[in-house]
Amino acid sequence: MAGFGWGERGLPVGQMQDTTLCNNLTATPTIKRSAHQEGNGLSDKPQMLLKLEEVTKSFPGVHALSGVDFDVRPGEVHALVGENGAGKSTLINIVSGVLQPDSGLCRLEGRVCEWRDPVAARKMGIVTVHQEADFFPTLSVVENIALQHGLPTRTFGFVDWPAMQEAAQKVIGSVGESIGAGVSADRLSVAHRHMLQVAAAVLQRAKLVILDEPTSALTSLESAWLFQQVARLKAGGVGLIYISHRQEEVFALADRITVLRDGRKIWTRNRKEVDSKSLIEAMVGRNLKDSAGDRQRRPNGSAPEGGPLAPVPRLEVRNLHDSKARFQAMNFQVGAGEIVGVYGLIGAGRTEMARGIFGLEALAGGSVLVDGKPVVIHRPQDAVRAGIAYLPEDRLREGLCRGLSIRANTVLPTLDRWTQLFRSSSETELPGATRLPHRETPVKRWSLGLLASRRVEKQVTRQVVQQLEVRQRNIEQPISQLSGGNQQKVVLGRWLLAAPKVMILDEPTRGVDVGAKSEIHRLLRSIADRGCAILMISSDMPEILQHSDRIMVLRSGKMSAEWQAGDVTATEVAEAALPDESVREQSVSTEKRAVSHNRRIAGEWGLAAVIVMLSLWLSLTSANFFSWANFGNLLAETALWSILGLAAASVIIAGGIDISIGSLLALSAACAGLLLKLPLAAEISIPLAIVGALLVGLAGGLLNGLISLVGKVHPIVVTLGMMIVYRGLVIALVSGRQISSVPEAFGWIWIYPGSGFRAVIVLGAVVSAVLYVIHVHRPAGRHLYALGSSSTAAQLVGVSRVKTWLFAFGLGGLLTGIAAVIVLSASMQMQSQLGKGWELQAIAVAVIGGVSITGGRGTVVGVVLGAVLLRLVNLALVRWEIRGEQVDVFVGGLILAAVLLDLFLRKRRT
């Protein structure tokens, strides 16, 4: 690493064509150690940066950590290794503040510390890069980077956007990749997310940096960049905890190594006292052959188990390409029983090609053949029917249903195989632990496919769990509670059950421990030997070289080289993968232009254009449309519905939904009306009524959020019930009578008598402006977007779900109270049916205004424009003589259209 520098794109400069460079890239570099670190790796009396003493942590049915001691010294890389489920993630979650220990002490620089959340840990100088770089997909790269370390603020607590932009540019610059700061994180690859997190940690001047499987999604070139960052941190006196299943990295980087097994520390030793054999035996508790030694690459031309090679390839791709030139002119074949490894750097088009074959990406041309027959694939279901399986690179976002159990995730793609109406007694005789079902030898069954057999699902799931050695309490355990490596095993196991003709595996052993990795490689060879064609995409050079029959290298979206596995070296593979800069720059600039264009046509400008056209049509068909009486009414109603739309939007953005808005508005108005009828002077009763309405709205919103949190119930269920409760309270308060005789001065909120001035317009503008400031420039507002974008990532960066959730519902309730005051001022009376069905229109305003129904996306300006558009649409419907329930049908159609448009645009963005 010391022999070359790094260019502006993160690539080595100076010796680009030297084969020595490629050797440096394909082999893990050794960080140079100072004299006092050699030998035992440390000085005689080193200062302890971090020390854990007898730390214990348990979960229901599992002792994750049992009396673990662990320490890190300044300027030291301390490797933490162990099988999946050994307790590594639990330990670093305790150190980083995500979890709190049941017992034991944590000392930082000699002082006992107890940080209750990741924010407190970061303030103490502890920065963690987690194994799954779970960013906020709907937020920009700028905001993602800022949230990792806490939003910077200026005077009066406003978010410092210029500082965020500057920090993001420094991070992106240190990565050296062409990443737009304003691009949403859902456009980033897993590797780019990891690199950005590491770069941000380096620039933060931390005392302790935790790297959890940092190279699991990186190629050799990107890994070399990472090792340089580790060297920089170490030279600066920063302590590092390094977790990796890749032994070559552990031995190259670590000063000391600690092994965990089953939640207990086995030993801590200096690096020079440990060899590969002793490390593996300590991890797994038994003698295990090296994965490379287990390699059983088939000799060229030899036949798989069960017969000779097929006369036609099992998978054939002809001239495959997409419209964005991410991969072009792909032509290759994979034979039955063959494992073809695919290697390439970030942006080479490996994952995009795999997703295109499986129907997850739109293809612009080319064809896919299975067993010599063309198959038409428009969606994943078509690929599965054709016998193609796909294991995605990003298991959290694409590979798992995190809310479901291990069993449900395992049998998900093969549910039709485990259904029953009547079954024979021999049907549940499944293959043994060493042989999963496959297409040529299906499990015997009598089935009409009408009923799911839970018994058989459990049986086959236990078989997968046993064979892949998944560490779990029971198969009904939520899969989100498993470690990352065990989650990966389940994703692989589900496709092994499907027994496809073709398996496309994108990083199949990412985050998997050495024992499980060896078992997975043997399983893949076994599956291939039974005639399955396997396309294995991997960033792990040893995996590609040792476990492929043939190797393809992709560069800048095209195939740059192809070899038989035994005929190529790591140096040659790395040289073939180095990118063609001119092609890459062109593709990146084209992509950025496309992103910019999509944003221009899809945002607020699109809504504004529709509003202008509809206004022109109404003005041409109605002579007095722009008269102050009509136009003033339009603006006043827009102000009211903007506030109601913002009430709904604040909750939706945070990932919730509130369908009690109409009933809560009626309850707030009823309380205000009753206060106005008290025998008090107007100067007292009017302010009292306004405050009462606001407090009722605020209390109602907070109650909705609190019940959802405490009961762990989806907010749509809670607010559905509370909608009925609030409406019942309104009926009880009003007792079937109208509340009238409201003081005349109260009506001035809607319109000032004589002048025609509508104060509600000013009120609506002020409320919208305040909400804009909260949503954009206050940390609490940005936390709404963070929580709605990813609750998991929000927890890891220290965003309080409880506070943010209650803030969202409380803000929505407060805005509903303001709307209740406006409505009562406009009508000067109160009925029990007030606001009935208004929640539908409030949600319509938010969704039409661009608020994503799934949370994390939306703007105040968009909601206001949505309110304007909905009012204009109502006027147009009146012109077309459409009234009553037909209007609700039209509004419902608008909501559906807005949701479908949002889904379409999100698919285009990702």
Side-chain angles (χ1 to χ4, degrees):
M1 292 288 295
F4 55 90
W6 291 81
E8 62 177 1
R9 302 181 59 77
L11 301 175
V13 296
Q15 301 184 41
M16 292 298 293
Q17 304 302 323
D18 191 350
T19 56
T20 304
L21 167 63
C22 293
N23 286 326
N24 286 335
L25 294 179
T26 55
T28 305
T30 301
I31 294 178
K32 184 178 180 181
R33 291 173 170 78
S34 60
H36 80 279
Q37 290 173 324
E38 289 294 344
N40 63 4
L42 302 157
S43 61
D44 293 336
K45 293 184 179 180
Q47 177 190 2
M48 289 297 178
L49 175 64
L50 174 76
K51 185 174 180 62
L52 305 184
E53 301 174 2
E54 293 291 323
V55 170
T56 299
K57 181 66 179 179
S58 297
F59 300 101
V62 175
H63 293 288
L65 293 175
S66 299
V68 172
D69 295 328
F70 183 79
D71 59 75
V72 183
R73 297 153 180 169
E76 175 193 37
V77 178
H78 193 150
L80 183 65
V81 299
E83 290 189 283
N84 296 124
K88 305 185 302 295
S89 295
T90 303
L91 188 144
I92 66 168
N93 281 336
I94 289 174
V95 175
S96 60
V98 176
L99 298 174
Q100 283 71 49
D102 298 333
S103 63
L105 292 177
C106 298
R107 299 180 186 273
L108 187 67
E109 296 180 321
R111 300 189 304 272
V112 176
C113 296
E114 184 177 349
W115 36 87
R116 308 301 300 177
D117 55 54
V119 172
R122 283 199 305 270
K123 289 179 179 178
M124 300 294 291
I126 299 174
V127 177
T128 305
V129 179
H130 291 273
Q131 177 180 349
E132 300 296 338
D134 200 351
F135 268 30
F136 301 96
T138 62
L139 304 186
S140 68
V141 171
V142 169
E143 202 159 1
N144 268 278
I145 292 173
L147 281 165
Q148 299 300 315
H149 312 299
L151 294 174
T153 56
R154 296 182 293 179
T155 309
F156 303 116
F158 288 97
V159 175
D160 192 346
W161 283 97
M164 289 168 54
Q165 292 280 353
E166 183 180 355
Q169 291 299 339
K170 287 181 180 179
V171 171
I172 294 171
S174 67
V175 170
E177 293 286 333
S178 297
I179 302 172
V183 172
S184 59
D186 56 10
R187 296 185 58 81
L188 299 179
S189 67
V190 176
H192 276 152
R193 281 182 257 157
H194 271 288
M195 294 173 75
L196 286 173
Q197 282 193 329
V198 172
V202 171
L203 294 175
Q204 197 185 2
R205 302 181 183 276
K207 296 178 182 177
L208 175 68
V209 174
I210 304 171
L211 301 176
D212 188 4
E213 295 288 352
T215 62
S216 60
L218 305 184
T219 63
S220 297
L221 189 62
E222 289 83 38
S223 295
W225 171 88
L226 172 72
F227 302 145
Q228 188 185 52
Q229 308 311 309
V230 172
R232 287 176 58 188
L233 289 168
K234 184 175 177 179
V238 177
L240 293 104
I241 301 176
Y242 194 92
I243 299 174
S244 179
H245 291 303
R246 297 179 176 179
Q247 287 193 47
E248 66 275 11
E249 294 177 10
V250 171
F251 286 116
L253 301 177
D255 296 298
R256 288 189 297 157
I257 301 172
T258 290
V259 177
L260 294 183
R261 185 172 74 235
D262 298 328
R264 298 180 181 275
K265 186 175 83 169
I266 304 304
W267 48 249
T268 296
R269 296 178 182 174
N270 293 322
R271 174 187 56 85
K272 289 194 172 184
E273 300 172 0
V274 183
D275 59 20
S276 178
K277 180 180 178 182
S278 62
L279 181 61
I280 293 175
E281 289 180 355
M283 289 171 56
V284 302
R286 63 187 185 277
N287 200 343
L288 184 69
K289 293 182 180 179
D290 184 81
S291 181
D294 292 338
R295 182 180 67 233
Q296 297 177 351
R297 185 185 298 127
R298 184 179 302 108
N300 296 344
S302 64
E305 177 186 315
L309 291 169
V312 295
R314 179 132 280 188
L315 172 68
E316 184 175 2
V317 171
R318 297 176 181 174
N319 195 31
L320 205 68
H321 60 280
D322 72 343
S323 59
K324 298 180 181 178
R326 292 174 297 181
F327 57 92
Q328 311 167 51
M330 290 293 172
N331 292 278
F332 62 87
Q333 299 176 352
V334 184
E338 186 179 27
I339 298 178
V340 175
V342 181
Y343 188 81
L345 305 181
I346 297 176
R350 303 172 305 164
T351 296
E352 292 81 1
M353 176 194 69
R355 291 171 60 85
I357 295 174
F358 194 66
L360 290 169
E361 299 278 354
L363 299 174
S367 56
V368 177
L369 292 82
V370 177
D371 288 338
K373 299 178 181 179
V375 293
V376 179
I377 299 176
H378 296 297
R379 54 183 184 169
Q381 292 91 325
D382 300 329
V384 173
R385 279 194 291 267
I388 302 175
Y390 173 59
L391 188 148
E393 175 188 24
D394 191 344
R395 63 170 169 258
L396 277 185
R397 292 173 56 197
E398 299 176 345
L400 298 173
C401 300
R402 285 188 275 182
L404 299 182
S405 66
I406 298 171
R407 174 191 53 79
N409 272 275
T410 302
V411 303
L412 188 60
T414 55
L415 281 173
D416 59 328
R417 299 186 65 189
W418 322 119
T419 54
Q420 69 174 6
L421 183 58
F422 301 101
R423 288 185 178 271
S424 69
S425 60
S426 62
E427 181 178 356
T428 58
E429 294 177 2
L430 298 173
T434 60
R435 193 174 174 91
L436 286 170
H438 56 90
R439 189 172 293 271
E440 286 74 13
T441 58
V443 177
K444 180 181 178 182
R445 66 185 186 276
W446 297 346
S447 172
L448 298 182
L450 299 180
L451 302 175
S453 172
R454 184 66 60 89
R455 177 174 57 87
V456 177
E457 288 181 10
K458 290 181 177 180
Q459 191 170 353
V460 296
T461 301
R462 290 191 184 101
Q463 178 181 334
V464 171
V465 165
Q466 180 182 3
Q467 183 166 348
L468 297 183
E469 297 182 353
V470 179
R471 291 176 178 266
Q472 35 77 43
R473 298 196 305 271
N474 58 74
I475 60 174
E476 298 303 326
Q477 178 183 356
I479 198 167
S480 59
Q481 296 180 2
L482 300 186
S483 66
N486 283 305
Q487 290 174 349
Q488 186 81 329
K489 293 179 188 179
V490 173
V491 176
L492 177 61
R494 71 157 62 136
W495 288 119
L496 295 181
L497 277 179
K501 297 178 180 179
V502 178
M503 291 187 73
I504 303 174
L505 311 174
D506 198 348
E507 306 289 356
T509 59
R510 184 169 74 88
V512 174
D513 63 69
V514 62
K517 183 179 291 188
S518 177
E519 180 63 27
I520 287 173
H521 288 149
R522 283 195 291 268
L523 276 171
L524 293 181
R525 176 54 64 194
S526 175
I527 294 296
D529 285 344
R530 282 180 265 152
C532 182
I534 296 179
L535 191 68
M536 181 177 69
I537 299 169
S538 179
S539 301
D540 188 345
M541 181 72 76
E543 182 171 64
I544 286 288
L545 293 173
Q546 295 169 7
H547 300 283
S548 304
D549 300 311
R550 193 154 43 91
I551 297 173
M552 300 190 310
V553 178
L554 268 59
R555 179 179 66 197
S556 302
K558 297 180 180 179
M559 190 184 303
S560 63
E562 182 178 0
W563 302 274
Q564 291 295 325
D567 301 335
V568 66
T569 65
T571 297
E572 292 171 320
V573 173
E575 285 178 331
L578 288 174
D580 182 340
E581 288 300 313
S582 61
V583 174
R584 179 166 170 165
E585 289 290 350
Q586 181 181 359
S587 65
V588 169
S589 61
T590 301
E591 184 177 344
K592 285 185 177 180
R593 286 197 299 270
V595 173
S596 176
H597 177 68
N598 284 340
R599 286 183 174 178
R600 284 199 302 269
I601 65 173
E604 286 84 1
W605 288 111
L607 277 174
V610 174
I611 289 170
V612 169
M613 289 187 290
L614 190 55
S615 298
L616 288 174
W617 179 81
L618 287 171
S619 65
L620 292 174
T621 57
S622 178
N624 59 351
F625 175 74
F626 282 112
S627 67
W628 175 244
N630 287 335
F631 197 65
N633 276 332
L634 174 65
L635 292 180
E637 292 179 1
T638 297
L640 169 62
W641 283 103
S642 293
I643 294 172
L644 283 172
L646 290 170
S650 296
V651 177
I652 295 173
I653 287 171
I657 193 167
D658 189 347
I659 59 174
S660 68
I661 288 177
S663 297
L664 183 57
L665 179 143
L667 181 60
S668 300
C671 291
L674 292 174
L675 290 172
L676 288 171
K677 292 180 67 68
L678 294 176
L680 299 171
E683 293 83 359
I684 298 176
S685 63
I686 291 176
L688 185 62
I690 293 174
V691 171
L694 299 186
L695 289 177
V696 170
L698 176 63
L702 288 174
L703 184 59
N704 290 341
L706 186 62
I707 294 174
S708 177
L709 278 176
V710 174
K712 297 181 180 179
V713 182
H714 195 283
I716 196 170
V717 177
V718 172
T719 55
L720 175 62
M722 296 308 294
M723 176 181 69
I724 300 172
V725 171
Y726 294 149
R727 184 62 61 181
L729 290 174
V730 170
I731 294 173
L733 288 173
V734 175
S735 301
R737 304 185 304 274
Q738 287 188 358
I739 297 177
S740 55
S741 303
V742 175
E744 182 180 352
F746 189 75
W748 297 355
I749 298 174
W750 180 260
I751 184 171
Y752 193 80
S755 67
F757 173 73
R758 298 182 181 274
V760 67
I761 299 174
V762 177
L763 178 59
V766 170
V767 170
S768 299
V770 171
L771 261 292
Y772 175 83
V773 171
I774 291 174
H775 278 216
V776 177
H777 295 289
R778 300 294 298 182
R782 299 317 301 166
H783 289 170
L784 294 177
Y785 289 85
L787 182 63
S789 182
S790 172
S791 60
T792 303
Q795 180 190 18
L796 293 178
V797 300
V799 174
S800 172
R801 182 175 187 269
V802 173
K803 293 180 181 178
T804 306
W805 190 257
L806 292 178
F807 176 70
F809 277 90
L811 183 60
L814 184 63
L815 292 171
T816 302
I818 294 174
V821 172
I822 294 173
V823 172
L824 188 59
S825 173
S827 63
M828 299 295 285
Q829 61 180 6
M830 166 65 203
Q831 302 181 35
S832 61
Q833 298 302 308
L834 177 67
K836 196 169 186 178
W838 284 19
E839 50 278 335
L840 174 66
Q841 297 220 18
I843 294 172
V845 167
V847 174
I848 292 170
V851 176
S852 173
I853 199 67
T854 57
R857 185 183 289 115
T859 65
V860 171
V861 173
V863 173
V864 173
L865 291 174
V868 175
L869 180 59
L870 198 59
R871 292 302 93 201
L872 290 174
V873 167
N874 280 335
L875 288 177
L877 293 177
V878 171
R879 297 285 301 168
W880 295 333
E881 299 183 352
I882 297 175
R883 292 180 174 83
E885 291 77 8
Q886 295 175 336
V887 174
D888 293 336
V889 172
F890 196 86
V891 172
L894 281 178
I895 295 176
L896 182 61
V899 170
L900 293 176
L901 177 62
D902 176 64
L903 292 174
F904 171 75
L905 292 176
R906 272 196 293 158
K907 184 177 180 180
R908 288 289 302 273
R909 279 192 293 268
T910 56

